[in-house]
Amino acid sequence: MYDIGRNKRAEKAYGLDDVAIVPMKRNRDINDVDLRWKIDAVTLDFPLIAAPMDSVMSPATVIEVGRLGGLGVLNLEGLWTRYEDPEPLFERLAGISDQVEAVRLMQQIYQEPIKEELIDARLSQIRAAGVPFAGSLSPKNVRDHADRVVRAGVDFLVIRGTTVSAQLVSSAANSLDLKQFIHSLDVPVIVGGCANYHTALHLMRAGAAGILVGFGGGARRATRNVLGIEVPMATAISDAAAARGDYLDESGGRYVAVIADGSIGGSGDIAKALACGADAAMVGVPFARAKEAPGRGYHWGPEAWHPTLSRGLRVHFPALATIEEILVGPSALADGSMNLVGALSRTLASTGYTDVKSFQKAELILV
């Protein structure tokens, strides 16, 4: 703990850029590495979840991620559930380079109400493809649409916000008790973001199958700049992993997945997040570079179109490769932006591990 003057004390926290993975005394054959992971009753080929951002996830890209062995998540409060054909709006946004003009347009087009028939249509399209998938709602709107989402046959309901706790308290009679709410649903729930031990533990006790750690992609720095809120990811993941272990003992063996959701720019960040204790990583930036991405190279989260307090940056990435090349290769670049799965396998093999669970014990150093 450090003194901040005479009135405050604070602990030192570390981001993913502050740590590096130490290799062990032996290596492994990369063919012996098994990246499969299980969350609730679903087993996936690798521990990567595509973030529910309009700029990267459409019904088609959710299907593609699932076909390749990952988990895609559709934002059910985005343009795909507000407009029958949102493609012209994506095209219009891609033609605007000025940030102020872009934010104003987003604030305008996202005022269109969410249409329940479009939720049904988008989820039915994905379900027909026969791949694992999830739908995402904010804590504010989850009660209005959750039953419909569950009936659509999703594998997971994701409740995702900037900061989420086990109970939303409001004087406007719309309090949300996640423990009561989650237990009323007939589908496993992934919920977040959270950034410390106590909140992670409370969300686990509320019944979550997985918790999101972090503030989600490009909103992280903007959230710090606008709200003054940030917990560096290496420390946040480690604290949540500690909560997972304590809850495992407390509950008599119930394991809750810890999913890193923020500051994940490439394959090295994914590896370090898992070495800090995460079971998987939710990524957005790598998919923003995909040729199939709806955002046409522009990437933004829901914070960017908040009607009164926008705080997420809209970032531009030139089209790089297909989703398949970004996920499983082959890679044409040496910067960690392609073949994320292959890079993670190589990290485990190089450091002496054959599966993600054992890799969570990898030694870290500060750099």
Side-chain angles (χ1 to χ4, degrees):
M1 299 294 289
Y2 294 83
D3 291 324
I4 303 176
R6 295 176 179 269
N7 187 49
K8 286 286 184 180
R9 304 196 78 201
E11 65 176 290
K12 178 70 174 176
Y14 300 97
L16 295 177
D17 289 340
D18 299 320
V19 300
I21 304 165
V22 180
M24 295 176 62
K25 62 182 179 182
R26 63 177 179 271
N27 304 125
R28 298 282 191 177
D29 187 328
I30 195 170
N31 295 313
D32 293 334
V33 173
D34 185 358
L35 294 181
R36 287 177 298 177
W37 75 295
K38 184 177 181 180
I39 174 169
D40 200 74
V42 178
T43 300
L44 300 164
D45 290 345
F46 46 80
L48 295 178
I49 302 175
M53 296 177 171
D54 276 1
S55 52
V56 297
M57 285 293 104
S58 66
T61 57
V62 168
I63 292 170
E64 179 66 357
V65 170
R67 182 187 72 82
L68 293 168
L71 180 67
V73 187
L74 187 68
N75 174 19
L76 300 179
E77 298 176 25
L79 298 179
W80 293 98
T81 57
R82 297 174 191 262
Y83 296 89
E84 183 71 36
D85 179 14
E87 293 288 358
L89 296 174
F90 285 112
E91 195 70 42
R92 186 178 171 190
L93 280 170
I96 300 174
S97 58
D98 180 74
Q99 285 281 19
V100 173
E101 184 180 353
V103 168
R104 286 175 176 165
L105 177 58
M106 284 192 285
Q107 289 173 328
Q108 174 189 333
I109 62 178
Y110 279 96
Q111 290 302 306
E112 182 73 13
I114 298 167
K115 299 176 178 60
E116 293 191 335
E117 63 272 19
L118 288 180
I119 293 178
D120 293 339
R122 306 311 186 195
L123 294 180
S124 295
Q125 177 185 348
I126 301 170
R127 187 182 65 246
V131 300
F133 71 107
S136 176
L137 292 165
S138 67
K140 175 183 176 182
N141 292 318
V142 67
R143 282 184 300 191
D144 294 336
H145 305 293
D147 288 342
R148 183 173 293 272
V149 176
V150 172
R151 289 196 301 270
V154 296
D155 292 282
F156 299 94
L157 172 62
V158 177
I159 304 175
R160 188 174 187 253
T162 301
T163 58
V164 177
S165 62
Q167 188 172 39
L168 169 65
V169 180
S170 172
S171 59
N174 62 344
S175 297
L176 175 64
D177 186 330
L178 277 178
K179 183 174 183 178
Q180 182 181 39
F181 183 74
I182 288 174
H183 283 287
S184 72
L185 299 174
D186 190 25
V187 68
V189 173
I190 298 171
V191 60
C194 70
N196 59 59
Y197 172 92
H198 294 292
T199 305
L201 186 59
H202 288 168
L203 292 176
M204 292 172 186
R205 289 170 174 167
I211 61 166
L212 301 173
V213 180
F215 302 132
R220 176 185 61 86
R221 185 172 297 276
T223 298
R224 183 184 68 183
N225 292 343
V226 178
L227 303 183
I229 297 173
E230 182 185 12
V231 178
M233 282 294 289
T235 296
I237 294 168
S238 180
D239 282 354
R244 178 187 60 205
D246 289 346
Y247 179 70
L248 186 69
D249 294 337
E250 173 189 305
S251 63
R254 184 173 181 270
Y255 190 91
V256 178
V258 170
I259 302 164
D261 181 19
S263 301
I264 308 292
S267 58
D269 295 326
I270 295 168
K272 288 189 284 187
L274 300 187
C276 286
D279 296 285
M282 178 173 277
V283 296
V285 168
F287 293 117
R289 297 184 171 101
K291 294 177 180 177
E292 305 98 317
R296 278 79 165 163
Y298 283 94
H299 182 47
W300 66 90
E303 302 85 2
W305 45 267
H306 192 282
T308 59
L309 188 65
S310 61
R311 55 191 184 275
L313 298 178
R314 191 186 70 132
V315 184
H316 183 254
F317 299 101
L320 179 66
T322 64
I323 288 178
E324 182 169 358
E325 290 169 329
I326 288 170
L327 271 176
V328 297
S331 174
L333 296 173
D335 60 358
S337 60
M338 297 177 64
N339 195 0
L340 304 179
V341 174
L344 183 57
S345 294
R346 179 65 62 183
T347 298
L348 266 67
S350 298
T351 53
Y353 299 94
T354 57
D355 59 78
V356 172
K357 199 66 213 165
S358 61
F359 180 63
Q360 291 173 341
K361 301 175 183 177
E363 183 179 346
L364 296 175
I365 59 170
L366 297 175
V367 295

